[in-house]
C-alpha cells in the first residue's frame, strides 16, 4: 500500500471532473429542492384538506422509501411510462424531490414557529393572506430554519454519491472506475474522501456565516423578560 | 351616553363606527361572550376594563375578525362583518390595532414596518409611503430611529412604533389591547401620552386597559365587562366615583388599591 505522488497526479484529473459533476448535480438539486420544498410547505399550511392531501401523500411516500429506490424508479421505471431521462436529469430529479419532501417539513416547522402575533399584526393592518405569508411569515420562517436547511444541503451533497448507481460519472463513480481498473483502492478512495471533505467542510462554514449574516437568534419575541 | 367630563373637547358625532348586536362567542362549549350589545360613535374614546378572562380582549378582537363569533352581528362604519373576505379586508384597512406584545416585524426596519401595509393595500409608492411614515413616526417622537430594527429599541419605543404603524393606514377606529401591560413602569407614560394625544385629535378608539388613571384622563365612556357581559357603562366620573354594580365595585376596589 504505497501512496505514490505520481499516481495521485495521474488520478486527479478524472476525479476532479467527477467532482465537478457532483457539484453541478448538488447545486441544481439544492435550488430545485428549496423551491419545491417551500411550495410544499406553503401548500401544507393551507386549511383546506383537499389542498393539503396530495402534498402530504407525496411527502409521506418520499420519506417512507429509500433515496436509492427513488433514483432507480425515476431512471428505470419511468421509461415504461414513456418518460426516458438521462442519468444526470434523473439524478437531479430524484435528489430534488427527495430533499424537497424533507425540506418541506423543515420549512413547515419554521412557519409554525413564527409567532401568531406576527400574522395578527399583518391581518390587522389589512394585509391579505398571500402577502402576509410572503412578506411577513416566510422571511422569518426561512431565517429560523437556516441552520437545518444548511445541514440538509451538506447531506444532499453527500447523497449525490448515490447517483453513481445509474452510471452517472460523478466523483464516487469516477473513483470506483479508477479503483476497479488499477486496484489502488486505498489511494483512490482516500483521495475521493478528501475531495468530499474539502467541499463539505467549507460548506459548513458558509452555512454558519449565513446564519450570522441573518442574525439568527435575535429574531425572537421582542418582549423578552431576560433582556428588559 | 355622549357625555364628556374630562379635558378633551373633541366633539362626538352621532355616526356609529362600531355597532355590536347580540354578539355571542364560544370556545367549544364555553361561552366567552354572551349576547353582548355595544356601540361606539365617531369621536368616542371607550375604555373597557374587567377581570382577566372576562372577554374584553376577545370582544375587541372580534371587531377586526381576529376572532370569529358564532351569533349576533357586528357592523363597522356601515360594513357588515361577515364571512365575505372583501368586507373583512375593508374593515381591517379602516380599523387599526395595537397589541400588548407590540408584534413589530423583526426582519424589517422601523420605517419598513410602517410602509409595508400602505404600499401593499393602498398601493402607495415607496416615497409617498415613506413620507407618510416619517410624519407619523415624528408624531410619536421616534422618527430618528426610522432605520433601526425593532430588536434595538426599548419596549416603550417599540410600542410607539406600533402605534405609528397602525396610524399609517389612516384608520377610522383604533383598538388598543392592553397596550402598556407588557411595559416596564417607566415606559408606560410615554406610550399613554401618545394615546392621549391621539384622543385629543379626535380619533375614535376602544382601549382595553388596566390603567385607570389614563382611563379617567381620556375616556368619554368606561365599560366594565365580567364573565362575557357588559355589566356597567358610564362616563368616567360616574363610573369611578359611583359605580352601581357590586362586581364593578369589588373590581375597582381591587384594582385601585395600589
Amino acid at each position: 500500500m504505497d501512496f505514490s505522488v505520481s499516481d495521485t497526479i495521474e488520478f486527479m484529473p478524472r476525479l476532479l471532473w467527477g467532482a465537478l459533476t457532483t457539484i453541478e448535480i448538488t447545486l441544481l438539486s439544492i435550488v430545485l429542492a428549496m423551491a419545491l420544498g417551500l411550495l410544499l410547505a406553503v401548500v401544507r399550511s393551507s386549511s383546506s384538506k383537499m389542498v393539503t392531501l396530495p402534498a402530504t401523500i407525496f411527502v409521506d411516500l418520499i420519506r417512507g422509501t429509500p433515496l436509492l429506490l427513488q433514483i432507480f424508479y425515476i431512471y428505470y421505471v419511468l421509461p415504461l411510462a414513456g418518460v426516458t431521462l438521462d442519468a444526470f436529469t434523473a439524478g437531479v430529479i430524484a435528489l430534488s424531490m427527495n430533499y424537497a419532501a424533507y425540506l418541506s417539513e423543515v420549512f413547515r416547522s419554521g412557519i409554525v414557529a413564527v409567532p401568531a402575533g406576527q400574522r395578527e399584526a399583518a391581518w390587522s393592518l389589512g394585509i391579505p393572506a398571500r402577502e402576509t405569508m410572503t412578506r411577513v411569515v416566510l422571511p422569518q420562517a426561512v431565517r429560523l430554519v437556516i441552520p437545518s436547511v444548511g445541514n440538509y444541503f451538506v447531506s444532499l451533497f453527500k447523497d449525490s454519491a448515490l447517483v453513481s448507481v445509474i452510471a452517472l460519472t460523478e466523483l464516487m463513480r469516477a473513483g470506483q472506475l479508477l479503483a476497479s481498473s488499477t486496484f489502488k483502492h486505498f489511494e483512490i478512495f482516500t483521495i475521493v474522501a478528501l475531495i468530499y471533505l474539502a467541499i463539505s467542510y467549507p460548506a459548513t462554514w458558509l452555512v454558519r456565516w449565513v446564519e450570522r449574516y441573518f442574525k439568527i437568534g435575535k429574531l425572537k419575541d421582542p418582549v423578552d423578560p431576560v433582556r428588559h | 351616553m355622549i357625555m364628556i367630563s374630562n379635558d378633551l373637547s373633541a366633539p362626538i358625532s352621532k355616526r356609529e363606527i362600531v355597532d355590536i348586536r347580540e354578539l355571542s362567542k364560544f370556545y367549544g362549549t364555553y361561552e366567552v361572550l354572551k349576547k353582548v350589545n355595544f356601540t361606539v360613535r365617531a369621536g368616542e374614546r371607550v375604555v373597557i376594563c374587567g377581570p382577566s378572562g372576562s372577554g374584553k380582549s376577545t370582544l375587541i378582537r372580534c371587531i377586526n375578525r381576529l376572532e370569529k363569533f358564532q351569533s349576533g352581528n357586528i357592523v363597522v362604519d356601515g360594513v357588515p362583518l361577515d364571512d365575505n373576505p372583501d368586507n373583512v379586508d375593508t374593515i381591517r384597512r379602516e380599523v387599526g390595532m395595537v397589541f400588548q406584545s407590540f408584534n413589530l416585524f423583526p426582519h424589517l426596519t422601523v420605517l419598513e414596518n410602517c410602509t409595508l401595509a400602505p404600499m401593499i393595500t393602498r398601493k402607495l409608492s415607496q416615497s409617498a409611503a415613506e413620507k407618510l411614515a416619517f410624519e407619523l413616526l415624528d408624531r410619536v417622537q421616534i422618527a430618528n430611529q426610522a432605520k433601526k430594527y425593532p430588536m434595538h429599541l426599548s419596549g416603550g419605543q417599540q410600542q410607539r412604533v406600533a402605534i405609528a404603524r397602525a396610524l399609517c393606514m389612516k384608520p377610522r377606529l383604533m383598538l388598543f389591547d392592553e397596550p402598556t401591560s407588557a411595559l416596564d413602569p417607566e415606559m408606560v407614560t410615554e406610550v399613554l401620552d401618545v394615546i392621549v394625544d391621539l384622543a385629543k385629535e379626535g380619533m375614535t378608539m376602544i382601549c382595553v386597559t388596566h390603567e385607570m388613571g389614563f382611563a379617567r384622563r381620556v375616556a368619554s365612556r368606561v365599560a366594565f365587562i365580567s364573565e362575557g357581559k357588559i355589566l356597567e357603562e358610564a362616563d368616567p366620573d360616574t363610573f369611578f366615583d359611583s359605580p352601581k354594580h357590586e362586581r364593578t365595585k369589588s373590581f375597582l376596589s381591587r384594582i385601585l388599591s395600589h
Side-chain angles (χ1 to χ4, degrees):
Chain A
M1 281 203 310
D2 48 333
F3 208 120
S4 75
V5 179
S6 62
D7 275 343
T8 313
I9 295 174
E10 195 199 322
F11 302 147
M12 276 315 244
R14 264 167 291 188
L15 293 179
L16 287 178
W17 268 113
L20 200 60
T21 308
T22 292
I23 292 175
E24 276 176 15
I25 211 181
T26 302
L27 289 177
L28 206 49
S29 303
I30 283 176
V31 168
L32 291 175
M34 281 264 279
L36 183 57
L38 211 48
L39 181 63
L40 282 169
V42 170
V43 166
R44 291 177 74 196
S45 334
S46 155
S47 37
S48 145
K49 281 249 162 67
M50 251 183 52
V51 169
T52 63
L53 195 58
T56 309
I57 292 178
F58 173 80
V59 169
D60 286 347
L61 278 175
I62 300 258
R63 289 173 69 197
T65 53
L67 171 56
L68 195 54
L69 176 62
Q70 292 157 23
I71 292 173
F72 280 140
Y73 231 90
I74 290 175
Y75 189 64
Y76 290 118
V77 177
L78 278 192
L80 305 175
V83 183
T84 311
L85 301 161
D86 63 287
F88 186 88
T89 312
V92 167
I93 290 180
L95 283 168
S96 309
M97 279 186 10
N98 182 280
Y99 274 80
Y102 288 98
L103 285 177
S104 81
E105 283 296 283
V106 173
F107 286 134
R108 260 195 350 141
S109 71
I111 288 173
V112 162
V114 175
Q118 290 294 300
R119 281 182 199 77
E120 292 185 348
W123 293 337
S124 73
L125 289 163
I127 299 177
R130 188 187 332 132
E131 281 81 354
T132 299
M133 179 58 87
T134 58
R135 307 288 296 270
V136 175
V137 177
L138 283 182
Q140 295 184 60
V142 166
R143 280 169 175 84
L144 284 170
V145 300
I146 284 177
S148 289
V149 171
N151 288 339
Y152 272 101
F153 285 174
V154 175
S155 189
L156 195 161
F157 167 68
K158 291 179 289 169
D159 271 344
S160 67
L162 289 172
V163 188
S164 59
V165 302
I166 52 173
L168 181 67
T169 311
E170 36 68 69
L171 178 56
M172 192 65 231
R173 186 167 150 82
Q176 279 176 297
L177 291 172
L178 267 176
S180 62
S181 65
T182 65
F183 292 97
K184 293 194 169 166
H185 298 88
F186 170 68
E187 291 89 329
I188 290 164
F189 287 136
T190 304
I191 296 173
V192 167
L194 290 172
I195 296 177
Y196 272 112
L197 277 171
I199 299 174
S200 65
Y201 217 71
T204 323
W205 296 338
L206 186 64
V207 172
R208 274 193 224 128
W209 179 85
V210 172
E211 281 176 52
R212 264 182 292 129
Y213 179 76
F214 284 108
K215 300 182 200 96
I216 299 298
K218 296 229 186 123
L219 285 176
K220 318 191 272 213
D221 185 299
V223 186
D224 183 344
V226 176
R227 275 182 37 217
H228 280 262
Chain B
M1 274 299 159
I2 313 177
M3 285 180 61
I4 312 160
S5 58
N6 41 30
D7 59 338
L8 276 82
S9 53
I12 293 177
S13 76
K14 287 221 159 51
R15 175 164 138 234
E16 285 178 0
I17 297 287
V18 180
D19 188 34
I20 298 177
R21 295 284 156 115
E22 300 290 303
L23 182 70
S24 278
K25 179 179 168 68
F26 292 82
Y27 282 127
T29 50
Y30 173 62
E31 196 173 12
V32 61
L33 291 172
K34 300 172 180 154
K35 293 210 172 69
V36 173
N37 288 291
F38 186 63
T39 305
V40 178
R41 292 191 169 75
E44 282 200 277
R45 292 94 46 200
V46 183
V47 165
I48 301 182
C49 62
S52 46
S54 54
K56 51 191 195 300
S57 285
T58 312
L59 180 60
I60 66 169
R61 285 161 60 92
C62 284
I63 297 175
N64 63 357
R65 201 62 161 180
L66 290 186
E67 303 276 356
K68 294 194 178 163
F69 50 91
Q70 281 69 42
S71 71
N73 44 46
I74 300 183
V75 176
V76 179
D77 210 11
V79 180
L81 183 57
D82 49 29
D83 288 325
N84 181 339
D86 289 327
N87 286 347
V88 174
D89 283 345
T90 308
I91 289 173
R92 284 177 172 170
R93 284 195 290 271
E94 303 305 327
V95 175
M97 187 159 195
V98 173
F99 300 84
Q100 181 174 342
S101 52
F102 332 138
N103 291 337
L104 291 181
F105 305 132
H107 60 298
L108 300 177
T109 62
V110 161
L111 187 64
E112 288 164 347
N113 260 272
C114 294
T115 57
L116 183 70
M119 282 172 65
I120 292 178
T121 61
R122 299 207 196 276
K123 312 275 189 264
L124 254 60
S125 71
Q126 178 155 352
S127 49
E130 286 185 358
K131 183 155 170 285
L132 174 64
F134 271 114
E135 266 173 44
L136 288 161
L137 288 170
D138 207 34
R139 227 163 99 180
V140 305
Q141 284 123 50
I142 204 149
N144 56 345
Q145 312 282 355
K147 296 295 168 78
K148 291 223 176 123
Y149 285 89
M151 65 174 116
H152 298 131
L153 303 178
S154 72
Q157 290 173 317
Q158 289 188 49
Q159 194 61 303
R160 285 188 278 140
V161 172
I163 296 174
R165 177 179 69 171
L167 291 175
C168 281
M169 288 298 288
K170 306 219 172 152
R172 289 178 223 171
L173 167 70
M174 282 288 277
L175 302 174
F176 292 93
D177 190 358
E178 301 206 37
T180 57
S181 295
L183 293 175
D184 288 341
E186 69 266 20
M187 294 192 261
V188 168
T189 319
E190 76 194 53
V191 172
L192 291 181
D193 285 345
V194 166
I195 304 179
V196 169
D197 281 339
L198 211 51
K200 286 191 179 140
E201 287 159 25
M203 174 64 77
T204 314
M205 56 175 74
I206 306 175
C207 195
V208 171
T209 184
H210 296 301
E211 297 284 337
M212 294 299 126
F214 160 77
R216 257 201 131 120
R217 260 169 89 195
V218 88
S220 54
R221 176 170 33 127
V222 183
F224 174 69
I225 281 194
S226 173
E227 293 181 359
K229 287 189 168 123
I230 297 183
L231 287 187
E232 200 163 335
E233 278 183 90
D235 64 279
D237 284 340
T238 314
F239 184 85
F240 289 113
D241 296 334
S242 26
K244 296 184 184 52
H245 221 277
E246 272 315 302
R247 260 187 273 167
T248 319
K249 291 183 198 167
S250 73
F251 173 76
L252 283 175
S253 70
R254 283 199 314 269
I255 210 179
L256 294 170
S257 61
H258 30 199

